[in-house]
């Protein structure tokens, strides 16, 4: 039976001890927290900071000793575990005494139980680069949908595991301009009705629709993937012109109920996974894929590593073949 993915307060404490040891330049603690495996890996933010095995384990304390003094402001830290494997991501602002610059840093960790003790087997440090600088655009549609979902937060939402799905019509602005407002409005409404029917047929809940996108939630990861595949199939079979292509993203995690956030980081990551999907593609996070792993009628493409806006490090996503 597949072991469940669950949040890990224990690993949050481990990662905080690691961050404190780096800040304090505690070489003994740093060496003790690293795996003894030769598959140990580290990827830093600068060119050339890519080390492995004993070289990393022996040399990292000296590397840390060279870091100028800095102030540390942690913004977020999450950790999860599944059996003997765990992972965490952290976002923090560091202000270095050498130049007084405040820089956002993102850290990801992979940990493994070795003789009953959690050890770090992979660490990745990065600095975010704005989309405008990297690809010349900023993605806005999914951000607006996330904001709308938060505005529509209801206190009767249940806590627990949820799979959150985002859909988005590709090149909607260009198509709307070509069709005109009236025809485009009718086309979008027809698509949203199709999405609602497909989502509810799998016992999902359409949380919010905004413009040409939707956000929905499912209590079952398998149901979310089934709905996504069916929506892509039904959308592809629509006879209307021009054909609409959609991208879909799904992420699974614990629902966190607060006064100002609908699904916590789960909704944000689901939106980012959707933004990473190509036209006509369904992308799912590694957590979602893991929950439906093993023998299944669901098949996936090979995983690929991507960066997700606002989330630290690299993330593995899978394409669901529909």
């Amino acid at each position: 039976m597949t072991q469940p993915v669950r949040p890990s307060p224990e690993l949050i404490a481990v990662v905080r001890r690691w961050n404190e040891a780096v800040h304090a330049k505690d070489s003994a603690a740093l060496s003790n927290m690293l795996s003894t495996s030769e598959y140990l890996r580290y990827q830093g933010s600068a060119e050339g900071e890519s080390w492995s095995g004993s070289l990393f384990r022996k040399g990292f304390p000296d590397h840390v000793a060279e870091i100028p003094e800095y102030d540390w402001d942690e913004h977020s830290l999450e950790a999860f575990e599944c059996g003997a494997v765990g992972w965490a991501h952290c976002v923090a602002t560091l202000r270095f005494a050498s130049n007084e610059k405040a820089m956002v840093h993102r850290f990801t960790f992979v940990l493994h139980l070795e003789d009953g003790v959690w050890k770090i087997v992979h660490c990745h440090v990065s600095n975010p680069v704005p989309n405008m600088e990297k690809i010349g655009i900023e993605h806005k549609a999914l951000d607006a949908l996330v904001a709308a979902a938060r505005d529509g937060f209801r206190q009767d939402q249940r806590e627990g595991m949820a799979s959150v799905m985002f859909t988005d019509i590709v090149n909607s602005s260009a198509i709307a301009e070509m069709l005109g407002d009236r025809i485009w409005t009718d086309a979008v409404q027809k698509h949203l009705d199709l999405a609602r029917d497909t989502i509810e047929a799998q016992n999902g809940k359409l949380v919010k629709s905004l413009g040409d996108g939707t956000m929905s939630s499912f209590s079952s990861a398998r149901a979310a993937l089934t709905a996504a595949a069916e929506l892509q199939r039904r959308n592809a079979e629509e006879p209307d012109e021009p054909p609409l292509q959609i991208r879909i993203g799904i992420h699974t995690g614990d629902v966190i109920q607060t006064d100002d956030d609908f699904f916590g980081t789960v909704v944000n990551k689901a939106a980012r996974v959707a933004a990473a999907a190509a036209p006509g593609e369904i992308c799912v996070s590694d957590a979602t894929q893991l929950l439906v792993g093993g023998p299944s009628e669901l098949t996936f493409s090979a995983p690929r590593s991507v960066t997700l806006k606002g989330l630290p490090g690299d993330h593995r996503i899978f394409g669901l073949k529909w």
Side-chain angles (χ1 to χ4, degrees), residues 164-185:
V164 178
M165 180 173 83
F166 277 86
T167 74
D168 177 50
I169 298 177
V170 179
N171 294 329
S172 58
S173 297
I175 299 173
E177 185 175 352
M178 178 181 66
L179 294 180
D181 290 342
R182 185 182 63 80
I183 297 176
W184 172 244
T185 299

Side-chain angles (χ1 to χ4, degrees), residues 176-212:
E177 185 175 352
M178 178 181 66
L179 294 180
D181 290 342
R182 185 182 63 80
I183 297 176
W184 172 244
T185 299
D186 291 343
V188 169
Q189 188 57 57
K190 183 176 180 180
H191 173 73
L192 293 180
D193 290 342
L194 175 65
R196 181 187 297 275
D197 290 345
T198 307
I199 291 164
E200 293 180 350
Q202 296 298 326
N203 296 315
K205 181 175 183 179
L206 182 62
V207 177
K208 200 78 175 180
S209 62
L210 183 68
D212 51 15

Side-chain angles (χ1 to χ4, degrees), residues 235-270:
N235 182 71
E237 293 168 356
E238 283 293 314
D240 294 345
E241 294 289 343
L244 301 181
Q245 286 188 303
I246 57 173
R247 57 169 62 92
I248 299 178
I250 302 171
H251 176 50
T252 304
D254 263 358
V255 173
I256 301 173
Q257 188 176 18
T258 66
D259 290 338
D260 60 355
D261 204 321
F262 194 90
F263 278 116
T265 58
V266 178
V267 69
N268 293 318
K269 184 165 183 177

Side-chain angles (χ1 to χ4, degrees), residues 37-309:
S37 169
E38 283 306 303
Y39 297 114
L40 173 67
R41 297 291 186 269
Y42 174 84
Q43 181 63 59
S45 58
E47 185 175 356
E49 291 182 351
S50 183
W51 305 309
S52 61
S54 58
L55 176 64
F56 172 37
R57 194 163 43 252
K58 293 175 182 177
F60 189 65
D62 292 334
H63 171 75
V64 169
E66 294 178 340
I67 300 175
E69 295 298 322
Y70 61 89
D71 293 327
W72 171 276
D73 184 14
E74 179 187 294
H75 303 305
S76 66
L77 174 57
E78 287 189 310
F80 308 89
E81 61 182 273
C82 181
V85 177
W87 56 96
H89 59 85
C90 176
V91 180
T93 294
L94 280 64
R95 184 183 296 276
F96 294 92
S98 57
N99 58 14
E100 292 299 319
K101 285 187 177 180
M103 298 182 64
V104 174
H105 283 63
R106 306 177 298 186
F107 307 84
T108 57
F109 303 85
V110 179
L111 302 97
H112 185 256
L113 275 175
E114 298 179 10
D115 298 322
V117 179
W118 287 107
K119 299 283 187 177
I120 295 172
V121 294
H122 176 81
C123 178
H124 186 187
V125 183
S126 69
N127 305 121
V129 177
N131 274 337
M132 186 59 71
E133 178 180 338
K134 182 170 65 174
I135 59 177
I137 65 168
E138 285 287 0
H139 295 293
K140 299 293 186 182
L142 293 173
D143 290 339
L145 189 54
V146 170
R150 285 178 173 156
D151 289 342
F153 176 77
R154 294 188 301 276
Q155 294 296 329
D156 62 351
Q157 292 294 322
R158 296 179 302 167
E159 296 184 5
M161 189 71 75
S163 291
V164 178
M165 180 173 83
F166 277 86
T167 74
D168 177 50
I169 298 177
V170 179
N171 294 329
S172 58
S173 297
I175 299 173
E177 185 175 352
M178 178 181 66
L179 294 180
D181 290 342
R182 185 182 63 80
I183 297 176
W184 172 244
T185 299
D186 291 343
V188 169
Q189 188 57 57
K190 183 176 180 180
H191 173 73
L192 293 180
D193 290 342
L194 175 65
R196 181 187 297 275
D197 290 345
T198 307
I199 291 164
E200 293 180 350
Q202 296 298 326
N203 296 315
K205 181 175 183 179
L206 182 62
V207 177
K208 200 78 175 180
S209 62
L210 183 68
D212 51 15
T214 69
M215 171 187 164
S216 55
S217 68
F218 300 79
S219 59
S220 160
R222 186 175 298 275
L225 297 183
T226 301
E230 181 64 14
L231 181 55
Q232 286 286 24
R233 284 192 290 266
R234 293 181 64 183
N235 182 71
E237 293 168 356
E238 283 293 314
D240 294 345
E241 294 289 343
L244 301 181
Q245 286 188 303
I246 57 173
R247 57 169 62 92
I248 299 178
I250 302 171
H251 176 50
T252 304
D254 263 358
V255 173
I256 301 173
Q257 188 176 18
T258 66
D259 290 338
D260 60 355
D261 204 321
F262 194 90
F263 278 116
T265 58
V266 178
V267 69
N268 293 318
K269 184 165 183 177
R272 303 308 172 210
V273 171
E281 188 179 25
I282 302 168
C283 284
V284 306
S285 67
D286 52 0
T288 302
Q289 193 273 342
L290 183 63
L291 288 173
V292 294
S296 171
E297 72 281 3
L298 300 170
T299 57
F300 301 89
S301 62
R304 66 180 190 263
S305 181
V306 298
T307 58
L308 302 177
K309 179 183 176 182

